[in-house]
Amino acid sequence: MMNITNCSFVFVLLNALILAYSKPESYSFLLTCGSSLDGEDSDGRQWKPDDKFLTLSNNSISIKSQFQDPSLPSSVPYMSTRIFTSESTYSFPVSPSTRHWLRLHFYPSPYPEFDPTNALFSVVAGGVTVLNNFSASITAKALTQAYIVREFSLSPSPDKILNITIVPSWNNNISFAFVNGIELITMPDLFKEPAPLVGFSDQSIDAQSSALQTMFRLNVGGQYIGATNDSGWSRTWYDDSPYLFGAAFGVTSETNKSDEIQYPNDKAKNFAPIDVYSTARSMGPDSKLNQNFNLTWVFEVDANFTYLVRLHFCELYQTRINQRVFNIFINNQTAQEAGDVIAWTGSKNVPVYKDFAVYVYDKPGEEELWVALHPSVDSKPEVYDAILNGLEIFKLNDSKRNLAGPNPMPSQMLIEAELKTKAGSKSSTLKREGNALGIAAAFGFVAAVCFVAYRRKKREPGEGGRTLSANWLPLYGSSHSNKTASYNSKSYGSSTLSSLAGGFCRHFSLSEIKRGTKNFNESHVIGIGGFGKVYKGVVDGTTKVAIKRSNPSSEQGVAEFRTEIEMLSKLRHRHLVSLIGFCKESDEMILVYDYMARGTLREHLYDKNLKSFLSWKQRLEICIGAAKGLHYLHTGAKYTIIHRDVKTTNILVDENWVAKVSDFGLSKTGPDLNQNHVSTVVKGSFGYLDPEYFRRQQLTEKSDVYSFGVVLFEVLCGRPALNPSLPKEQVSLADWARHCCKKANVEDIIDPHIKGSINQEGLKKFVEVAEKCVSDHGLERPPMSDVLWNLEFALQVQESLDGEVGLVVGHENSDGNKPSNARSKNGSRMDIECDGESCKLRINSSSQDLEEKDSSDVVFSQFINPQGR
Ligand SMILES: *[C@@H]1O[C@H](CO)[C@@H](O)[C@H](O)[C@H]1NC(C)=O
Ligand SMILES: *[C@@H]1O[C@H](CO)[C@@H](O)[C@H](O)[C@H]1NC(C)=O
Ligand SMILES: *[C@@H]1O[C@H](CO)[C@@H](O)[C@H](O)[C@H]1NC(C)=O
Ligand SMILES: *[C@@H]1O[C@H](CO)[C@@H](O)[C@H](O)[C@H]1NC(C)=O
Ligand SMILES: *[C@@H]1O[C@H](CO)[C@@H](O)[C@H](O)[C@H]1NC(C)=O
Ligand SMILES: *[C@@H]1O[C@H](CO)[C@@H](O)[C@H](O)[C@H]1NC(C)=O
Ligand SMILES: *[C@@H]1O[C@H](CO)[C@@H](O)[C@H](O)[C@H]1NC(C)=O
Ligand SMILES: *[C@@H]1O[C@H](CO)[C@@H](O)[C@H](O)[C@H]1NC(C)=O
Ligand SMILES: *[C@@H]1O[C@H](CO)[C@@H](O)[C@H](O)[C@H]1NC(C)=O
Ligand SMILES: *[C@@H]1O[C@H](CO)[C@@H](O)[C@H](O)[C@H]1NC(C)=O
Ligand SMILES: *[C@@H]1O[C@H](CO)[C@@H](O)[C@H](O)[C@H]1NC(C)=O
């Protein structure tokens, strides 16, 4: 066995040498471990089986994953795995004196015989320990990722062979390691220049002989840039906004399309792609204001290491020296005084980068890396402003040739969320056969993802915080993510909010609010969500309002509070819930809305206390109202607004059954004309999440269209978007409905209470458009205007039908007022009584169906709470 492997290794080596001879500069190895077949990933890159490169291995097994997490970018290389039970080595033929990118891919999903939670191992690459006592499973959990990618840059060595050795360690009497994918790609030496060591004016760090780990790589002021757009190096660049400190977001800008970014020379093209340089974040147009704050990014890193901080600049607007001059601070120390991009480059649209090195000590509160920009007042520039286009942070190996930090600890909140998930799945899903457990685990996982997106920790009591899921990105993240990164915004007085809100929005005093809710009396509570409680109240004597009160430990931070005020106060539309005002006093963050007498759409579809059912015509009218609201958001306002959390609990109904879209806490403006999408941390509610958004973290208005498609099916079928108590293939409504549409048996899933009363022609249009909405790819989904047209059509034909034969409501077999029986999906009995206008439902005894639904509600309570946040 060993001999054969060695032979094939020599063969590969020869091949590679021939290859290296003819093409000395660049080659790449992409190995999909444990697979016997070639494969292609979603970026079109070709991956090869790994066995030819495995030179030393007593015991290795290849294994296939059984469950493909929806967040995986593609099945290659994640769905196949190689498991090692003893020390094993991969050897690659390489050109000497060349730097290499090394990327390791891990997908810790449960395998039939191996539980990845038991895998602890080290990886040594080119003599440097890149991972030590590493648990992919713990890391994935703490970062709320299904998969992990670790990227390293290996220093040039004189050897013609590069070894990557994997050493399993013992844990619970088991010792094994696993890896899903290995990338080894030649790279230019990007680390040739010594970087000044911040805080020591006379010292610098030469990274040339060091191995580095990529910790963060951000396209500042821009969007996610995928592997394909990076001239063969396959680097990915992420949106910087999750790392911004406090409320100071600055403003983002983009090159004039008529201008071209001009690299000073060909080598510079390797620094970063054009897309990085053509977008930037600056402080804003107000010179006075800019002098009062720092534009700051904060990163969590491992202590006891030196970091290389690379700042990418490209001036997009100014053309003269001393127009925009600024200071750069790293970890509160001056790294650069009077930085002037034009002085560095000579002209605008020319890229340049600056490197700084900083040592991060192991002192409480210092395992962070702060990068801050401030106008250089002393230089008396023309504008008091600063600019940044890109930011990379690399960790350097220490003197023991080690790059590995400790495993991260999942946050307390995550642990609690997981316990809840476990409790939930125990009562409802564990009993089921087959893959149900895997599915439940996967749901729990995604639930945790969403949960963490909202988590928030307060640093000082009484101060607001801003949600910052700094460890979201699959590539990066430090070891201590339980130190939830949320930061205070000190300047959030009511006056700022008032000015944000413009003239529309009224400021209420806390005493007014207290009076209106009888001091937040529990009897006034009409809903509870992540934000806190929603109260019914009265202001100005008689005006009924809904009052959303952030509880002090709420997970929805100031940022979302602010977004909602900003968005809503600028938007007025018949089908959007109107914000009347707000109250920000002492600890309280309160929003005051129009009161919506009939609550959420969900309550009228399948709530267990449901007394009467909506007719098909009523349902269509509500859908049309909501569609009009969304259509207005997408096209009617100055900027496209993406709601991001369309669901039946965010569609409210007033006393005249007029539907209004609510809850803008997650909304994003974007994309503008030059961009097709906004890249962002994935937020939203599971069951409604656009799979494309989930995969790519790129948001377009078509993500709302997807969610609205789920709403349409919910309305048609009278069941929740997710129901874990159903058989596996039916759990997700979107998937199940799509399946039924394909099989042309939609009839079977229609809510029995309306089935007989639907005009067939209208139904066809309705199903057609709903199915298109939930297409996998955004491009295939119709715009809201098309959706609206189809719904109007369905309503018209329905009205002519209702006009002809009178309102027929109820079960298929219902003949007038006679009670009829229907069976719930679990076989419990439901009696339906119809009285012409509507039908009543009576459920016999405490059916299992409802019990199970309850337990699922516990699991998903974060996401399917009535009357939402
Ligand atoms: C390979 O297996 C043999 C026998 O189990 C063991 O003695 C040897 O140490 C192993 N080699 C490595 C590198 O683990
Ligand atoms: C790489 O590993 C092979 C086999 O395990 C070993 O023979 C060789 O000496 C190693 N080379 C280097 C440069 O470490
Ligand atoms: C490990 O094995 C030893 C003896 O073989 C046993 O006493 C011990 O309980 C085992 N530990 C675990 C965690 O299984
Ligand atoms: C990025 O990639 C997309 C798809 O491959 C391509 O259409 C686009 O032109 C690329 N952009 C740049 C700047 O290379
Ligand atoms: C873009 O370029 C055009 C022509 O050079 C100029 O008129 C315009 O002001 C520029 N826009 C910005 C934002 O710089
Ligand atoms: C950092 O180094 C100090 C001194 O060597 C040591 O006590 C401490 O445990 C190290 N911290 C970490 C996180 O490794
Ligand atoms: C920088 O200063 C801020 C307060 O001004 C402090 O909260 C933070 O911990 C400091 N960061 C470092 C790395 O010292
Ligand atoms: C900006 O950051 C530097 C370094 O931490 C600090 O000294 C300075 O006070 C900050 N300026 C403002 C206005 O916060
Ligand atoms: C990293 O390791 C190399 C040896 O491989 C050493 O020369 C270099 O100084 C180390 N880097 C740091 C920052 O200690
Ligand atoms: C290895 O990692 C596990 C999980 O984080 C931890 O419990 C254990 O203490 C670590 N062991 C060593 C030797 O660092
Ligand atoms: C991290 O989590 C652990 C266990 O949950 C907890 O004991 C510790 O205090 C947390 N650390 C921080 C900085 O929050």
Side-chain angles (χ1 to χ4, degrees):
M1 176 64 198
M2 278 293 281
N3 282 341
I4 294 168
T5 323
N6 269 341
C7 279
S8 61
F9 170 59
V10 170
F11 177 70
V12 168
L13 184 63
L14 281 174
N15 270 346
L17 285 179
I18 292 164
L19 210 91
Y21 180 74
S22 53
K23 229 178 156 194
E25 273 307 303
S26 70
Y27 50 85
S28 64
F29 302 98
L30 305 186
L31 306 187
T32 166
C33 303
S35 172
S36 53
L37 300 170
D38 291 8
E40 187 181 278
D41 67 16
S42 57
D43 290 322
R45 300 191 302 159
Q46 301 297 323
W47 297 67
K48 299 265 180 229
D50 63 330
D51 48 357
K52 287 189 186 131
F53 296 88
L54 203 52
T55 51
L56 176 88
S57 181
N58 263 355
N59 272 310
S60 85
I61 306 163
S62 35
I63 235 174
K64 292 247 171 291
S65 276
Q66 299 193 316
F67 173 72
Q68 183 166 359
D69 190 276
S71 72
L72 289 178
S74 59
S75 59
V76 177
Y78 301 103
M79 293 304 286
S80 67
T81 312
R82 185 171 298 279
I83 302 213
F84 306 95
T85 51
S86 66
E87 181 175 325
S88 308
T89 299
Y90 285 96
S91 299
F92 296 92
V94 295
S95 316
S97 313
T98 304
R99 231 176 219 287
H100 292 88
W101 290 121
L102 168 66
R103 295 196 189 95
L104 301 175
H105 299 254
F106 303 100
Y107 174 42
S109 89
Y111 300 103
E113 286 159 71
F114 293 93
D115 177 1
T117 54
N118 289 323
L120 280 179
F121 54 96
S122 306
V123 177
V124 178
V128 173
T129 305
V130 294
L131 297 171
N132 185 28
N133 188 37
F134 171 73
S135 167
S137 168
I138 292 176
T139 308
K141 195 182 286 169
L143 307 186
T144 64
Q145 293 292 332
Y147 67 105
I148 304 167
V149 186
R150 287 281 144 120
E151 183 184 277
F152 307 94
S153 168
L154 303 179
S155 50
S157 96
D159 300 327
K160 290 190 177 145
I161 290 174
L162 192 146
N163 280 348
I164 296 175
T165 301
I166 297 166
V167 190
S169 24
W170 287 97
N171 183 30
N172 292 338
N173 287 358
I174 304 171
S175 160
F176 76 97
F178 71 95
V179 61
N180 300 80
I182 300 177
E183 289 178 64
L184 190 74
I185 305 175
T186 47
M187 63 176 282
D189 198 346
L190 297 174
F191 309 104
K192 275 192 161 145
E193 317 279 320
L197 185 61
V198 173
F200 302 85
S201 55
D202 54 343
Q203 288 185 37
S204 62
I205 297 286
D206 187 354
Q208 199 174 4
S209 59
S210 296
L212 299 91
Q213 178 183 350
T214 310
M215 303 297 285
F216 302 94
R217 183 181 285 130
L218 307 178
N219 178 15
V220 176
Q223 64 203 25
Y224 171 81
I225 303 176
T228 40
N229 280 39
D230 188 28
S231 57
W233 319 126
S234 314
R235 292 172 294 191
T236 44
W237 301 73
Y238 289 87
D239 174 14
D240 68 314
S241 52
Y243 302 93
L244 281 164
F245 172 81
F249 280 67
V251 298
T252 60
S253 45
E254 222 179 320
T255 34
N256 217 332
K257 280 283 174 229
S258 54
D259 297 325
E260 288 269 314
I261 301 293
Q262 285 145 6
Y263 286 104
N265 51 50
D266 273 355
K267 254 196 205 151
K269 288 188 180 153
N270 298 325
F271 301 162
I274 282 191
D275 288 356
V276 170
Y277 290 114
S278 58
T279 59
R281 188 179 297 280
S282 55
M283 299 184 79
D286 187 339
S287 278
K288 254 218 183 93
L289 201 70
N290 292 353
Q291 291 176 50
N292 297 332
F293 76 98
N294 284 344
L295 191 54
T296 308
W297 294 260
V298 182
F299 306 92
E300 291 182 34
V301 292
D302 296 326
N304 287 355
F305 283 99
T306 305
Y307 290 86
L308 181 75
V309 179
R310 174 163 294 183
L311 305 170
H312 295 270
F313 299 101
C314 181
E315 184 55 78
L316 304 177
Y317 295 102
Q318 312 300 346
T319 52
R320 290 188 304 278
I321 290 178
N322 212 42
Q323 268 190 306
R324 167 153 42 192
V325 188
F326 51 91
N327 298 335
I328 302 168
F329 303 102
I330 294 178
N331 272 4
N332 296 345
Q333 289 173 309
T334 306
Q336 169 86 49
E337 224 157 338
D340 184 335
V341 180
I342 295 293
W344 291 329
T345 61
S347 94
K348 84 172 203 178
N349 292 329
V350 177
V352 66
Y353 71 81
K354 291 280 158 191
D355 280 347
F356 303 98
V358 61
Y359 187 79
V360 174
Y361 293 93
D362 185 18
K363 285 190 211 146
E366 288 201 11
E367 306 99 334
E368 283 176 352
L369 220 152
W370 290 54
V371 176
L373 305 178
H374 189 74
S376 167
V377 177
D378 294 343
S379 312
K380 300 199 167 55
E382 279 177 41
V383 297
Y384 289 102
D385 198 0
I387 186 172
L388 186 64
N389 304 63
L391 178 58
E392 289 175 283
I393 297 179
F394 303 96
K395 176 162 70 171
L396 271 66
N397 66 266
D398 63 17
S399 53
K400 293 182 195 122
R401 311 188 97 198
N402 174 49
L403 260 176
N407 286 319
M409 276 189 281
S411 76
Q412 202 52 47
M413 244 171 179
L414 205 60
I415 292 165
E416 279 162 21
E418 197 180 46
L419 287 179
K420 261 193 208 162
T421 308
K422 278 198 183 129
S425 57
K426 220 173 249 161
S427 58
S428 64
T429 329
L430 263 182
K431 286 171 263 163
R432 276 172 208 288
E433 71 295 327
N435 279 340
L437 188 61
I439 291 278
F443 281 171
F445 195 85
V446 175
V449 168
C450 304
F451 193 70
V452 157
Y454 297 123
R455 77 197 157 135
R456 157 176 176 245
K457 187 183 134 197
K458 299 178 69 175
R459 288 206 151 177
E460 293 154 40
E463 293 263 19
R466 130 176 172 68
T467 315
L468 191 99
S469 37
N471 283 310
W472 166 261
L473 311 180
L475 188 48
Y476 325 114
S478 77
S479 300
H480 30 257
S481 69
N482 75 331
K483 233 176 47 179
T484 318
S486 324
Y487 300 95
N488 296 316
S489 51
K490 297 210 160 60
S491 60
Y492 258 118
S494 312
S495 55
T496 2
L497 289 172
S498 280
S499 69
L500 278 176
F504 276 128
C505 201
R506 170 170 159 196
H507 181 212
F508 289 92
S509 72
L510 189 54
S511 57
E512 269 175 289
I513 302 283
K514 280 186 173 163
R515 227 177 10 248
T517 55
K518 298 227 167 70
N519 202 12
F520 300 113
N521 193 306
E522 285 298 308
S523 67
H524 285 236
V525 174
I526 50 176
I528 300 172
F531 185 84
K533 289 180 178 165
V534 183
Y535 298 82
K536 181 178 162 181
V538 177
V539 295
D540 301 334
T542 53
T543 312
K544 278 190 195 162
V545 292
I547 291 176
K548 209 156 116 176
R549 179 195 196 194
S550 152
N551 75 46
S553 59
S554 132
E555 295 111 30
Q556 192 179 26
V558 172
E560 277 167 26
F561 183 71
R562 163 198 160 133
T563 311
E564 181 128 9
I565 293 182
E566 267 186 297
M567 294 273 176
L568 271 182
S569 57
K570 285 184 199 132
L571 300 171
R572 296 282 137 169
H573 191 269
R574 177 173 154 82
H575 294 289
L576 299 181
V577 169
S578 301
L579 180 71
I580 300 172
F582 68 92
C583 165
K584 174 96 175 67
E585 231 175 270
S586 48
D587 277 0
E588 300 280 358
M589 290 191 288
I590 291 166
L591 295 170
V592 183
Y593 299 86
D594 265 345
Y595 180 65
M596 302 295 284
R598 295 190 194 269
T600 68
L601 171 56
R602 183 182 203 262
E603 288 165 53
H604 298 283
L605 291 176
Y606 44 79
D607 194 89
K608 61 171 178 274
N609 301 320
L610 201 58
K611 294 202 188 64
S612 66
F613 285 91
L614 296 175
S615 69
W616 180 235
K617 179 165 169 270
Q618 277 176 311
R619 293 182 197 206
L620 283 174
E621 281 168 344
I622 289 172
C623 289
I624 287 171
K628 282 180 178 166
L630 285 175
H631 178 55
Y632 172 76
L633 285 179
H634 290 175
T635 60
K638 191 168 165 201
Y639 305 102
T640 298
I641 293 167
I642 304 168
H643 185 286
R644 290 223 280 178
D645 204 11
V646 176
K647 53 180 174 179
T648 43
T649 48
N650 280 339
I651 296 170
L652 304 183
V653 200
D654 76 5
E655 58 199 336
N656 302 318
W657 293 102
V658 175
K660 302 193 182 211
V661 178
S662 85
D663 205 334
F664 295 72
L666 297 181
S667 304
K668 278 247 172 188
T669 22
D672 65 25
L673 292 176
N674 301 317
Q675 288 174 244
N676 296 321
H677 63 262
V678 181
S679 168
T680 173
V681 172
V682 174
K683 291 183 181 181
S685 300
F686 198 56
Y688 298 89
L689 262 186
D690 170 9
E692 197 170 52
Y693 170 38
F694 205 89
R695 279 196 302 270
R696 298 256 168 224
Q697 298 184 34
Q698 291 173 350
L699 189 63
T700 72
E701 72 271 32
K702 294 295 179 63
S703 307
D704 283 353
V705 174
Y706 180 91
S707 309
F708 192 69
V710 179
V711 168
L712 291 180
F713 279 119
E714 232 177 307
V715 165
L716 180 68
C717 307
R719 57 151 281 190
L722 272 189
N723 185 349
S725 63
L726 290 174
K728 180 189 146 197
E729 67 278 7
Q730 302 183 17
V731 168
S732 154
L733 175 58
D735 291 347
W736 180 231
R738 241 189 342 228
H739 173 83
C740 293
C741 289
K742 259 202 209 92
K743 291 253 149 45
N745 52 3
V746 188
E747 287 289 333
D748 299 349
I749 58 170
I750 296 177
D751 188 347
H753 308 110
I754 52 168
K755 200 167 177 179
S757 67
I758 303 179
N759 170 293
Q760 287 303 312
E761 204 182 346
L763 176 67
K764 203 169 141 242
K765 273 270 185 302
F766 183 96
V767 171
E768 236 171 60
V769 76
E771 190 190 4
K772 273 195 202 136
C773 287
V774 295
S775 298
D776 230 2
H777 297 285
L779 284 174
E780 290 156 19
R781 297 174 206 147
M784 281 314 293
S785 52
D786 284 7
V787 179
L788 195 49
W789 190 90
N790 282 284
L791 294 177
E792 301 256 27
F793 176 87
L795 179 64
Q796 258 176 31
V797 292
Q798 186 68 27
E799 271 169 348
S800 59
L801 173 84
D802 289 351
E804 261 173 61
V805 299
L807 203 57
V808 186
V809 185
H811 192 252
E812 205 172 3
N813 308 323
S814 162
D815 49 358
N817 301 335
K818 205 173 134 233
S820 64
N821 296 336
R823 273 183 177 272
S824 91
K825 295 187 174 89
N826 261 18
S828 57
R829 271 173 63 106
M830 296 192 286
D831 290 341
I832 301 162
E833 288 171 18
C834 294
D835 64 3
E837 243 316 297
S838 59
C839 297
K840 284 187 182 131
L841 174 71
R842 222 182 264 134
I843 295 156
N844 280 345
S845 78
S846 59
S847 75
Q848 197 199 352
D849 183 29
L850 291 177
E851 265 169 37
E852 293 209 346
K853 188 162 150 283
D854 276 348
S855 62
S856 73
D857 276 356
V858 173
V859 182
F860 298 107
S861 60
Q862 284 296 317
F863 319 105
I864 53 178
N865 239 318
Q867 205 72 41
R869 300 181 310 271

